[in-house]
Amino acid sequence: MNNPILNSFEELENCYDQLMSWCDVLQAIADFLPCHIDEGLCGRISGGLIPLLLTTHQLEERSISPALRLIMQVEELADARERRHAGRLFDHDAAQHVVFTLETLSEGRCRLSWEAVGYQLRLFFCSLRRHIKSEREIIRLLQRAMEDEPASRSPNMTAQTETV
């Protein structure tokens, strides 16, 4: 049986892999500042980072959030969802700052010191790596719980019965 939640997990993994690759690139930029800034690379990251992050967050909301009940007690769910939402807001805000900095760097008009740019990039990619690591652990727990859960109680079946 084709489970849309498990398919969403695969899509999420693809998003996470791309984000982790961009974290590696941002780390290389931060490590080698002040160096020549590749305008094309900055443009690709600037143009794609926020849409990829939003897609990732939407997939997390659609696939992970509804299934959290499989691994958490009811009284934990609201706090967990709140923390996860706050984390996504932080990631989005930090990504907007990184995009602005990359754009101004590539145009040669960045007003931040090299140390400040490096710090900003590191703050973002370290935070994003932690977020991805945490979400991947949640996915592993959910996959394990789905394997243990009888088919009649899986999130996919619950969602199907709720729409009938």
Side-chain angles (χ1 to χ4, degrees):
M1 179 185 287
N2 195 6
N3 187 328
I5 291 177
L6 295 177
N7 291 340
S8 292
F9 290 166
E10 288 178 33
E11 287 180 70
L12 264 172
E13 282 300 327
N14 292 333
C15 290
Y16 290 153
D17 288 343
Q18 179 65 49
L19 286 169
M20 292 297 276
S21 293
W22 283 1
C23 285
D24 293 343
V25 171
L26 292 172
Q27 181 173 359
I29 292 170
D31 287 347
F32 293 104
L33 286 175
C35 64
H36 171 74
I37 303 300
D38 183 320
E39 288 119 18
L41 178 62
C42 288
R44 284 190 299 280
I45 294 173
S46 295
L49 181 60
I50 291 177
L52 178 60
L53 200 56
L54 289 174
T55 298
T56 303
H57 291 165
Q58 289 167 354
L59 283 168
E60 288 171 350
E61 214 28 61
R62 189 174 70 223
S63 59
I64 295 175
S65 292
L68 286 175
R69 65 172 178 73
L70 294 172
I71 60 172
M72 293 183 171
Q73 302 297 318
V74 173
E75 55 275 359
E76 298 173 307
L77 289 173
D79 285 342
R81 287 186 178 128
E82 174 86 17
R83 282 191 308 275
R84 295 176 78 247
H85 179 71
R88 285 193 292 273
L89 289 175
F90 176 85
D91 288 347
H92 186 262
D93 185 54
Q96 287 178 314
H97 289 287
V98 165
V99 164
F100 178 77
T101 297
L102 290 175
E103 288 171 349
T104 59
L105 276 175
S106 68
E107 295 167 0
R109 58 181 182 87
C110 185
R111 298 179 67 179
L112 298 175
S113 69
W114 295 118
E115 293 80 18
V117 171
Y119 182 79
Q120 181 187 55
L121 296 177
R122 287 181 205 297
L123 178 65
F124 175 71
F125 67 72
C126 287
S127 173
L128 190 57
R129 284 175 176 161
R130 277 191 304 274
H131 172 94
I132 292 170
K133 182 180 178 186
S134 172
E135 294 297 313
R136 283 180 163 163
E137 182 58 30
I138 290 170
I139 289 171
R140 279 191 290 280
L141 293 170
L142 288 172
Q143 287 171 326
R144 210 171 301 134
M146 288 174 170
E147 289 170 4
D148 296 341
E149 182 100 355
S152 62
R153 291 197 56 222
S154 73
N156 184 36
M157 294 301 288
T158 303
Q160 288 175 357
T161 57
E162 288 173 356
T163 60
V164 173

